[in-house]
Amino acid sequence: MGAAVLLNEPFSALAASPELKGTFELLKDEPSTHQRGKVKIIEFADFYCPHCHHFDETGLPLLVKEFGSKIEVTMVGYPVIRGKLPTAFDMYEQAKAMGKGNEMKTVLFRTIHKDKFDGVLDRSIRSLLIREVGLDVAAFEAGLESGKPARAFEDGRRWGERIKVSSTPSLLLDGNIKIDGANMTPENAITVIRSILEADAKK
């Protein structure tokens, strides 16, 4: 798992919610955002973390294959690899605002991990990636300069700190069910998500 330690001892919330299976931490201070028949997944990830890249390529497709439209996945940038500029996260937030967040996420992971690009994402590199995902370069750069993407990234990072994300990738299901650390496996995530949806079906 990507850096940062501080593992809270997670518990299987069977005591709290008898119908939920799998291993996770129920965050008592966070409100549930659950909508019947749908699980909202926030993926806390670092573009520079190899585990996040691996999960994006292998873990997420498993969840999508298993649950399809019953899940809604949104990435929130949560940097754990030190010494990296926030440009990739800002680019993701700007692309998300322009309706191409997932496409930019894929391109950034590929550029950093497969193309082995570890330098600065300067304007010339950015323009190539912006065009690749089908966005207007001038509009994109104007959006970056507005500072809104940087603020959105900071808000996400503070959110991760508040709920004590211990490593990346980590998942937050329906606002208050956290899967991270040793529990962060696609198999465990599938078990938890399935039990949430099955509990809905019984109601």
Side-chain angles (χ1 to χ4, degrees), residues 47-88:
F47 283 112
Y48 293 93
C49 162
H51 305 287
C52 297
H53 176 230
H54 182 69
F55 182 73
D56 195 66
E57 281 204 314
T58 61
L60 269 183
L62 282 175
L63 300 189
V64 172
K65 184 180 175 187
E66 183 74 25
F67 301 109
S69 62
K70 291 179 180 174
I71 59 171
E72 178 185 298
V73 185
T74 306
M75 181 186 140
V76 167
Y78 193 73
V80 293
I81 307 293
R82 296 184 185 280
K84 302 295 182 186
L85 291 171
T87 314

Side-chain angles (χ1 to χ4, degrees), residues 69-120:
S69 62
K70 291 179 180 174
I71 59 171
E72 178 185 298
V73 185
T74 306
M75 181 186 140
V76 167
Y78 193 73
V80 293
I81 307 293
R82 296 184 185 280
K84 302 295 182 186
L85 291 171
T87 314
F89 299 99
D90 294 350
M91 286 177 69
Y92 167 67
E93 289 296 340
Q94 180 57 32
K96 196 160 69 171
M98 294 173 81
K100 294 274 189 176
N102 284 338
E103 292 86 345
M104 183 60 82
K105 177 172 83 155
T106 300
V107 164
L108 286 167
F109 271 129
R110 186 207 68 215
T111 301
I112 292 164
H113 295 280
K114 288 191 169 167
D115 302 343
K116 305 293 184 192
F117 182 82
D118 208 25
V120 176

